[in-house]
Amino acid sequence: MEKSIRNIIIATVAALTFSTTSFAAGNSDDAIAERIKPVGQVYLASDVPVVEEPTGPRSGEQVYKTFCTACHSTGAAGAPKTQNAADWAPRIAKGMDVLQNHAINGFNAMPARGTCMNCSDDEVIAAVEHLIKGL
């Protein structure tokens, strides 16, 4: 009986030793990385920033629709609203040079160039002219 208990203990120790070694080998960094690696990729159009380089001068309307409309159509952060003569009158009274300077260099909450960092001065000025056209 003593011999069979001894054999059982030896077999148990051997089994634990081999299973622990196997478990440890299966938990190496490479083995873990292999088990948890992605099986595919998901591509979202928003993951890749779209940087459109101008191929020539943009019109004032193009610049306005791309960079200005978010604030000037809603009046966000105190921006004068598009086609609102009352909003624009005090600004226009200061003269075109002041309007253009504020558009190019920023003023109050408006960032320089209205966030169009690749717009030329002429494109920014064209956007200002588009904004006040018809007032």
Side-chain angles (χ1 to χ4, degrees):
M1 178 90 160
E2 205 175 288
K3 197 172 186 181
S4 62
I5 292 176
R6 184 173 177 218
N7 287 343
I8 292 173
I9 292 173
I10 290 172
T12 303
V13 169
L16 288 173
T17 302
F18 290 124
S19 66
T20 303
T21 304
S22 173
F23 178 76
N27 283 327
S28 70
D29 289 343
D30 291 338
I32 293 169
E34 180 64 27
R35 284 194 307 271
I36 65 170
K37 73 178 182 179
V39 294
Q41 294 179 342
V42 176
Y43 172 79
L44 301 174
S46 62
D47 287 346
V48 179
V50 177
V51 178
E52 295 180 17
E53 292 298 322
T55 57
R58 292 166 279 199
S59 70
E61 182 179 9
Q62 288 172 316
V63 172
Y64 169 78
K65 285 181 176 179
T66 305
F67 300 99
C68 310
T69 191
C71 294
H72 286 286
S73 66
T74 64
K81 290 185 180 178
T82 307
Q83 299 300 314
N84 186 321
D87 284 357
W88 283 99
R91 292 163 174 87
I92 293 171
K94 292 179 182 177
M96 281 302 290
D97 289 340
V98 173
L99 274 177
Q100 292 169 355
N101 180 44
H102 288 172
I104 292 169
N105 298 308
F107 184 73
N108 292 335
M110 181 175 162
R113 301 184 180 282
T115 71
C116 181
M117 301 321 292
N118 66 354
C119 282
S120 68
D121 288 356
D122 290 337
E123 289 172 324
V124 173
I125 290 168
V128 170
E129 292 170 352
H130 175 77
L131 269 165
I132 62 172
K133 178 177 62 179
L135 293 177

